[in-house]
Amino acid sequence: MKSISASIHIQATPDQVWDVLVDLRDYPEWNPFIREASGQIAVGNTLHLRMFPVGGGRPTGFTPTVLAARPGAEVRWLGRFLLPGIFDGEHSFTLSATDGGTDVVQAEKFSGLLVPFLGSTLEKTRESFVALNEALKKRVENR
């Protein structure tokens, strides 16, 4: 298993951050990493996401299942490549009220047979997390 994460502080309430984060229709307007998104953030739902790695790389589409949707607190989904156990990613956004704003931690736990072979790709994914977090901050704080 391998994990990556990126965090940021946003000068807004967790509910304000949540509202932007779960509005998948607006992702093309502000999100540099997940530029295509549809579905509804609710436990058990399937999302349709297309990621465009920051700095180049081939766009990748996937259909994760929402595992957690706690308004103002957490979004978590599980995506898989082909079959379970080949390459699985559990992605999360955790929101915590702090210092008059919200700390956002975006993380992913990767598991499966392909993980040992994807080291540099996973580090580039972290760069995309950073870009998404910065764009989220800008979007929320400029509303």
Side-chain angles (χ1 to χ4, degrees), residues 1 9 14 18 26 30 35-36 41 46 52 59 65 70 73-74 80 93 95-96 101 105 110 126 128-129 134-135:
M1 185 182 312
H9 183 78
W18 175 266
D26 283 351
W30 65 268
R35 292 191 221 159
E36 298 173 15
I41 304 282
T46 299
F52 293 74
T65 301
R70 295 186 305 128
E74 177 190 29
R80 293 193 157 120
F93 292 91
L95 314 178
S96 304
V105 177
F110 299 98
R126 187 185 178 291
S128 295
F129 285 11
E134 289 170 355

Side-chain angles (χ1 to χ4, degrees), residues 57-70:
R58 198 173 91 216
T60 305
F62 68 109
T63 53
T65 301
V66 178
L67 301 176
R70 295 186 305 128

